[in-house]
Amino acid sequence: MRHKDEQWEKEIRKGPFASSPFTEDHKRKVLQQVEWMKKSEVGSKGDRPESRSRLSRPQVGSVSHKRRPRRGPLVAGAGALVIAAGLFLWIWDDGQLVKPVIEQVYPTAALQLSDGLNTNLLTDKMKRNVATTMRDDLGKQLKITKVEDLPVSGRIYVEAGSESEKEYAQIWLDATTGNLREVQMRREMQPSELEHRYLRQVPSLLQSIGSTPTLKPVSVQRYVSMKQGESEPISHTTLALENETGYGEIVWQQDKAVSITGDLSPDQVSQAALTDARKAIEALSGKANLDLVRASRSKDNELGKDTVFFSFKDNYFVQMTEGKEGLGYTVGDANYYEQQEIGNIEEMEAYHEKLYNIDESLLREKVGPIVKKIFNIDFDAYKLHRNAEQLGVVTFELESSKYVFQVEYREDGRIKMITRGEL
């Protein structure tokens, strides 16, 4: 053991581990793991071609005490030592510890299996695909709770975690090849568990939309899916951020940020847009110069939309959107979104009928002046369209215009929200 101890001392003095307080017990456990890895490595050579296997066998009549050539300073090889030490040592990523080495090289070493499972259904390739998918896409190995053969579809079904919990995974594999066929996984994690490659992007992403870069991560949700015919799982990671005065949210698809939302710094608020929003609120409510409560911006690269949202005193709001589908503008009164109290089915049916059959002239009387003040458009020529599947909502269209107006209203004709969008 003295020779191995010397090898360990040489290895432990390298790299970022030189100042680590490793104990004698720690070294002993690592050396035991080296021996285990050596035995596993020898056992894994059984599928090599016969001609190569013979090279490692002692020849008949050879001298047993013949000295072997030295292989270098490490008996088990530097690779085996580093892999074994990976149970205790971690890979560094821009200053942050991220993943144990052994899970990188042997992902199935971290696979967790419940008792009583029919694990004979899982080939080595299936186990490796399941472990790698959970490690790389979900970011955590969940304990496998079910393994089932689906002979009709030619698949093996693997379930991990519990459907009633926040961490859950379903994986379907090809029974013949062991390849992934479908994947559905979800997980909630603490911000401290989020990979550093995401966290290091946060300040610059918030700054890119004019939001404060000091918002702090508060929660993380991850969803992973792969549908039939797709080549690999796709992960969506949503990070919620907050501080004393604001909020934010960033969504990544794989490692690329696709949506960024955050409160705007005061110096980033467009005064022209703010003045326009106040005029719209006055047209809707009759209240002038309401105080601004919050201004935020959301940039969605996936949908090609850039949205600014203003929230005012007394629960009024304005939303302005630019995107691939054109310009959008919404003004609304959030006070009208309380639940309608309905005692029984008969009352509900009567209420729905009243919403659907609301008098058109009453709606035009309410909507026309608001649209005129905000958009300077004469509403009389626009034709009304009702939709039985959207009670309390009508659409006004004009054949010669690219704009349509969607109006949300109460049963007495009061306006909750007006949205103008392009066809």
Side-chain angles (χ1 to χ4, degrees):
M1 288 294 290
R2 178 60 185 165
H3 185 44
K4 292 182 179 180
D5 284 343
E6 290 175 354
Q7 296 158 13
W8 163 251
E9 294 292 349
K10 290 178 182 178
E11 188 67 25
I12 204 61
R13 300 304 174 198
K14 298 178 182 178
F17 316 116
S19 61
S20 300
F22 291 107
T23 63
E24 289 300 320
D25 185 57
H26 188 151
K27 291 191 289 185
R28 179 181 57 79
K29 289 178 180 178
V30 173
L31 289 169
Q32 288 175 348
Q33 192 62 29
V34 170
E35 293 300 318
W36 177 82
M37 292 300 301
K38 286 168 61 183
K39 292 176 182 178
S40 297
E41 188 176 79
V42 171
S44 67
K45 295 177 182 178
D47 58 348
R48 293 185 178 182
E50 184 180 357
S51 59
R52 294 188 61 185
S53 300
R54 286 176 180 159
L55 296 176
S56 62
R57 299 174 186 166
Q59 301 296 317
V60 177
S62 62
V63 180
S64 61
H65 61 272
K66 183 177 179 180
R67 291 176 61 88
R68 296 182 180 178
R70 291 175 63 90
R71 296 180 58 191
L74 302 180
V75 170
L81 180 58
V82 171
I83 292 169
L87 292 176
F88 309 95
L89 311 179
W90 297 65
I91 295 175
W92 289 67
D93 176 17
D94 285 359
Q96 185 180 25
L97 300 174
V98 287
K99 290 179 182 176
V101 178
I102 194 167
E103 288 190 24
Q104 290 292 93
V105 182
Y106 292 97
T108 55
L111 202 60
Q112 304 172 58
L113 300 166
S114 298
D115 296 333
L117 294 178
N118 187 6
T119 55
N120 292 333
L121 292 172
L122 297 176
T123 64
D124 289 342
K125 184 175 181 180
M126 290 178 183
K127 291 179 182 178
R128 186 167 61 252
N129 280 336
V130 169
T132 302
T133 301
M134 284 198 285
R135 179 196 69 190
D136 294 345
D137 298 298
L138 193 61
K140 183 177 182 180
Q141 298 289 357
L142 306 183
K143 180 176 284 189
I144 295 175
T145 54
K146 186 176 184 179
V147 178
E148 184 180 0
D149 185 12
L150 305 175
V152 175
S153 62
R155 299 182 182 189
I156 300 296
Y157 172 70
V158 175
E159 187 174 324
S162 172
E163 189 174 5
S164 61
E165 299 296 328
K166 295 177 180 178
E167 299 181 335
Y168 185 56
Q170 296 175 291
I171 300 175
W172 291 264
L173 303 129
D174 190 290
T176 303
T177 65
N179 294 331
L180 297 177
R181 294 276 289 273
E182 290 188 59
V183 174
Q184 294 292 332
M185 300 189 291
R186 67 171 185 262
R187 179 190 176 198
E188 290 187 20
M189 64 180 87
Q190 295 299 315
S192 58
E193 298 177 277
L194 185 62
E195 295 88 344
H196 186 57
R197 65 181 184 272
Y198 296 104
L199 289 173
R200 67 189 178 198
Q201 300 178 43
V202 171
S204 60
L205 289 174
L206 291 172
Q207 284 181 315
S208 72
I209 62 168
S211 186
T212 173
T214 56
L215 292 173
K216 302 298 183 185
V218 292
S219 66
V220 185
Q221 291 186 327
R222 178 167 293 167
Y223 297 93
V224 183
S225 66
M226 174 182 167
K227 298 178 182 178
Q228 179 67 33
E230 295 178 343
S231 59
E232 62 181 15
I234 301 296
S235 67
H236 281 84
T237 302
T238 302
L239 171 65
L241 305 116
E242 284 183 3
N243 62 14
E244 295 79 7
T245 59
Y247 76 98
E249 182 181 275
I250 301 174
V251 180
W252 288 269
Q253 180 175 300
Q254 301 294 79
D255 295 344
K256 182 180 179 182
V258 294
S259 176
I260 312 157
T261 300
D263 282 344
L264 290 173
S265 306
D267 61 339
Q268 294 293 323
V269 176
S270 167
Q271 294 305 306
L274 180 57
T275 299
D276 185 73
R278 281 200 171 101
K279 289 180 179 178
I281 295 299
E282 184 178 359
L284 177 69
S285 67
K287 301 177 182 180
N289 299 316
L290 288 179
D291 292 336
L292 179 67
V293 175
R294 172 171 290 170
S296 65
R297 182 182 176 192
S298 180
K299 190 173 183 181
D300 193 318
N301 297 323
E302 221 174 2
L303 300 176
K305 289 185 177 181
D306 196 341
T307 301
V308 175
F309 184 88
F310 294 111
S311 175
F312 293 91
K313 184 181 176 181
D314 297 339
N315 296 320
Y316 293 98
F317 63 90
V318 171
Q319 179 174 292
M320 306 171 181
T321 301
E322 290 185 53
K324 292 184 292 187
E325 298 179 357
L327 301 176
Y329 196 104
T330 298
V331 56
D333 181 357
N335 293 295
Y336 286 152
Y337 282 86
E338 72 274 8
Q339 291 292 325
Q340 181 74 18
E341 292 186 9
I342 297 175
N344 52 49
I345 295 178
E346 288 76 15
E347 288 183 11
M348 181 180 293
E349 290 177 347
Y351 173 69
H352 287 173
E353 185 176 355
K354 192 172 184 179
L355 277 176
Y356 183 70
N357 294 314
I358 191 166
D359 185 67
E360 180 177 342
S361 60
L362 175 61
L363 275 182
R364 288 186 179 276
E365 179 185 330
K366 300 285 187 181
V367 177
I370 300 173
V371 171
K372 179 68 174 178
K373 288 181 181 179
I374 298 175
F375 306 107
N376 195 26
I377 289 176
D378 187 353
F379 211 56
D380 293 339
Y382 280 73
K383 186 177 293 186
L384 181 143
H385 297 278
R386 303 178 192 264
N387 187 343
E389 296 180 359
Q390 284 186 291
L391 293 173
V393 179
V394 293
T395 302
F396 289 90
E397 296 182 14
L398 181 65
E399 289 185 5
S400 60
S401 175
K402 64 179 180 179
Y403 294 109
V404 296
F405 291 87
Q406 189 177 71
V407 177
E408 197 168 340
Y409 58 90
R410 289 174 60 90
E411 76 282 359
D412 58 4
R414 286 181 292 174
I415 305 304
K416 294 161 62 175
M417 188 168 69
I418 299 174
T419 298
R420 185 184 74 163
E422 295 187 32
L423 287 171

